[in-house]
Amino acid sequence: RHVNQFSHGVMEGVNGGGPSPAGMRNIINLDRPDPGYSPLWSIDWVTELPVNYKADQATSFTDMAEAKGYDYFTTPMFVNCPDIGNIGEPVLEKTNGFTPYINTDVDSNYILGSHMSLIFQPDVPVSFQTSDGTEIGSTATNMMGAYEYELMTADIPEGTDMINVVANDETIRTIDVMSKMMDMDDTSAAFGIRSGVMGILALAASAGLAF
């Protein structure tokens, strides 16, 4: 899956990929010892990465689930690109660490994405808007047609629950906005209510009452 169009967290010469050494390393599902391996690759173009994603966070296709904030589409492109890297141990699925929403508990969030209409389209304006169309940030696509933007939490109006990403007058992505702390508070409250109910039922049972 092609993520070389993104650069957040890349140190050129250390963990850069190709064809752009300033971009992330692409992710493959088969290597040389695997049945079905071929040096001819079909290109899945990644259009959405989890919020605050950094280079090398995903290392296998199993990491890249929609529920974790990923999206892609299969292009008609094929490349002849034999894998020449080291063959390592099997990569295990990562079960956490991916955030599919904008977290307002931190000062800023990095949003990385692309779109099938943007491939290799540089300098296309990309706008970040609230549901009423108010622009709270903007950037432009890079030479590969990807956008990378650091959205400051202070720029998000109070009460905002989603951000639309707009390019060429089309909403190409919608991202939920929420607070992790609020989620934890809701979970704690629900656990407290459940514990209280269980305690009442236990007392009633000891008194010989039934519900």
Side-chain angles (χ1 to χ4, degrees):
R1 290 185 180 158
H2 199 285
V3 293
N4 185 241
Q5 63 270 33
F6 305 108
S7 63
H8 187 223
V10 172
M11 298 176 63
E12 191 169 344
V14 178
N15 65 338
S20 170
M24 297 180 184
R25 292 183 283 200
N26 296 318
I27 299 161
I28 60 176
N29 64 329
L30 296 173
D31 205 348
R32 286 149 290 172
D34 300 323
Y37 168 80
S38 168
L40 187 65
W41 296 101
S42 170
I43 301 298
D44 290 342
W45 192 268
V46 174
T47 56
E48 297 181 13
L49 285 170
V51 177
N52 295 318
Y53 181 94
K54 290 184 179 180
D56 300 333
Q57 274 191 273
T59 53
S60 72
F61 280 16
T62 52
D63 293 336
M64 305 179 77
E66 184 178 352
K68 297 177 181 179
Y70 293 90
D71 202 5
Y72 66 92
F73 72 98
T74 301
T75 74
M77 297 185 291
F78 289 82
V79 294
N80 186 6
C81 184
D83 184 16
I84 59 174
N86 294 327
I87 299 175
E89 295 296 323
V91 178
L92 299 177
E93 179 181 1
K94 295 179 174 68
T95 56
N96 53 47
F98 299 111
T99 306
Y101 58 84
I102 293 169
N103 176 18
T104 57
D105 296 324
V106 297
D107 292 336
S108 65
N109 291 266
Y110 279 88
I111 303 172
L112 298 83
S114 184
H115 190 259
M116 64 177 63
S117 65
L118 299 177
I119 294 181
F120 299 118
Q121 301 294 316
D123 303 319
V124 177
V126 177
S127 175
F128 300 85
Q129 303 177 4
T130 59
S131 57
D132 64 1
T134 301
E135 183 176 83
I136 59 173
S138 64
T139 187
T141 55
N142 60 24
M143 62 181 295
M144 288 192 184
Y147 59 85
E148 299 182 86
Y149 184 70
E150 183 181 13
L151 179 63
M152 306 304 296
T153 299
D155 293 334
I156 303 174
E158 187 175 353
T160 300
D161 60 3
M162 68 174 57
I163 297 295
N164 294 322
V165 183
V166 179
N168 295 323
D169 298 320
E170 176 187 1
T171 298
I172 60 173
R173 182 178 182 182
T174 298
I175 311 172
D176 290 333
V177 177
M178 62 180 65
S179 164
K180 277 188 175 180
M181 292 301 296
M182 186 176 296
D183 283 351
M184 292 173 62
D185 291 344
D186 291 345
T187 302
S188 297
F191 180 78
I193 292 171
R194 182 175 180 274
S195 298
V197 170
M198 294 301 292
I200 292 171
L201 291 175
L203 287 173
S206 66
L209 301 176
F211 288 90

